[in-house]
C-alpha cells in the first residue's frame, strides 16, 4: 500500500519559518520525482517545488523562489520543504506527490496558517 504522509504544518507568524516533511512508504522512493503543491481556499492547486530522483535538480515556482527550499533524503524516504519568510498568502493546505513514468501518488495534506 502506497502512502505519502505530510507533516510539519501549523500556525506561524509572518516572517517565520516551517519545515514540512513528506514521508513515503510502499514505493521505491528513489525512483520517484517529488513535488510540493499547495491549495488555498477558493484557489487552484499550485505547484511550488519539484526535486528529481537523485536530488540534483530542483525547480521552483516564482512565488516561492528564494524563500522555499526542497530537499530529499532517499535513505529516509523523505522529502522536505523548508519555508522561510512566510507571508499570509502562504496560508494553504500543502501536499506532496510522488511521480514516475507510470504512477502518481498524493498525500493527504498538511495545513499551514500564517497569521499574527
Amino acid at each position: 500500500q502506497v502512502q505519502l504522509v505530510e507533516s510539519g504544518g501549523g500556525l506561524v507568524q509572518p516572517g517565520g519559518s516551517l519545515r514540512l516533511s513528506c514521508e513515503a512508504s510502499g514505493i521505491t522512493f528513489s525512483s520517484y520525482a517529488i513535488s510540493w503543491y499547495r491549495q488555498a481556499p477558493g484557489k487552484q492547486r499550485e505547484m511550488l517545488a519539484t526535486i528529481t530522483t537523485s536530488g540534483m535538480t530542483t525547480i521552483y515556482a516564482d512565488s516561492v523562489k528564494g524563500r522555499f527550499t526542497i530537499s530529499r533524503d532517499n535513505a529516509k524516504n523523505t522529502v522536505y520543504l523548508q519555508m522561510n519568510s512566510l507571508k499570509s498568502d502562504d496560508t494553504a493546505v500543502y501536499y506532496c506527490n510522488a511521480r514516475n513514468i507510470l504512477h502518481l501518488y498524493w498525500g493527504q495534506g498538511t495545513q499551514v496558517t500564517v497569521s499574527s
Side-chain angles (χ1 to χ4, degrees):
Q1 181 182 357
V2 178
Q3 277 194 310
L4 297 178
V5 179
E6 300 96 336
S7 61
L11 174 64
V12 62
Q13 292 187 341
S17 298
L18 282 176
R19 188 177 80 155
L20 305 184
S21 299
C22 170
E23 183 173 2
S25 59
I27 59 173
T28 304
F29 183 73
S30 59
S31 69
Y32 284 77
I34 307 295
S35 297
W36 283 98
Y37 284 73
R38 69 185 177 192
Q39 189 164 21
K43 294 188 177 181
Q44 289 190 331
R45 193 169 291 194
E46 173 189 17
M47 195 285 287
L48 303 177
T50 295
I51 189 165
T52 54
T53 54
S54 66
M56 293 293 289
T57 300
T58 56
I59 300 168
Y60 295 94
D62 288 343
S63 59
V64 304
K65 199 174 295 183
R67 299 190 299 125
F68 291 9
T69 303
I70 190 171
S71 60
R72 69 188 295 159
D73 184 340
N74 285 345
K76 294 183 178 179
N77 286 4
T78 301
V79 166
Y80 305 98
L81 186 68
Q82 178 67 42
M83 306 188 296
N84 299 328
S85 303
L86 285 163
K87 310 171 185 177
S88 58
D89 287 350
D90 294 317
T91 296
V93 179
Y94 284 68
Y95 302 88
C96 63
N97 77 24
R99 172 173 45 87
N100 68 11
I101 195 169
L102 293 175
H103 303 289
L104 174 65
Y105 303 106
W106 287 90
Q108 83 291 346
T110 185
Q111 175 71 45
V112 171
T113 302
V114 184
S115 175
S116 55

